[in-house]
Amino acid sequence: MISDKWKVLILRDLLDGTKRFSELRRSVGSVSQKVLTANLRQMERDGLVHREVYPEVPPRVEYSLTETGRTLQPIIEATKDWGTQYKAEHAA
């Protein structure tokens, strides 16, 4: 479910709270709109992400983590901690 590098970054950013598509695109990095959309749709199908569409002109779409998506928080944080420690140990 989270084997793609973009999905991990999307999860990381949604742990902070609800985000609009454009906010995710900026925060995730050099991901194309097509790839970001495909990953968000897959994560929605997998039950990790909730997509809320507001009937406005222009339409506003917001993404947030589901309860299932939030259960991945310890895994994301442990990976981040490991990376920080690895970087510190191998910076020399």
Side-chain angles (χ1 to χ4, degrees):
M1 289 178 143
I2 58 170
S3 60
D4 185 284
K5 80 172 186 176
W6 300 116
K7 289 179 183 174
V8 173
L9 296 176
I10 292 166
L11 286 169
R12 176 203 65 189
D13 292 344
L14 289 178
L15 284 172
D16 293 334
T18 301
K19 298 230 185 312
R20 294 178 75 171
F21 184 86
S22 59
E23 292 175 298
L24 279 172
R25 188 159 181 212
R26 276 192 302 273
S27 65
V28 167
S30 61
V31 63
S32 71
Q33 181 173 338
K34 180 180 177 180
V35 170
L36 181 57
T37 298
N39 278 280
L40 285 166
R41 285 183 182 158
Q42 182 63 53
M43 293 171 78
E44 187 179 9
R45 281 192 298 272
D46 291 340
L48 301 176
V49 170
H50 173 72
R51 180 178 184 258
E52 183 76 31
V53 180
Y54 295 90
E56 302 172 352
V57 178
R60 177 170 49 115
V61 179
E62 293 181 342
Y63 296 91
S64 59
L65 292 178
T66 63
E67 288 301 316
T68 302
R70 287 224 165 265
T71 64
L72 293 167
Q73 184 169 0
I75 296 165
I76 300 297
E77 289 177 355
T79 304
K80 177 185 171 194
D81 293 344
W82 180 87
T84 302
Q85 182 179 352
Y86 181 87
K87 186 176 177 181
E89 292 172 359
H90 295 85

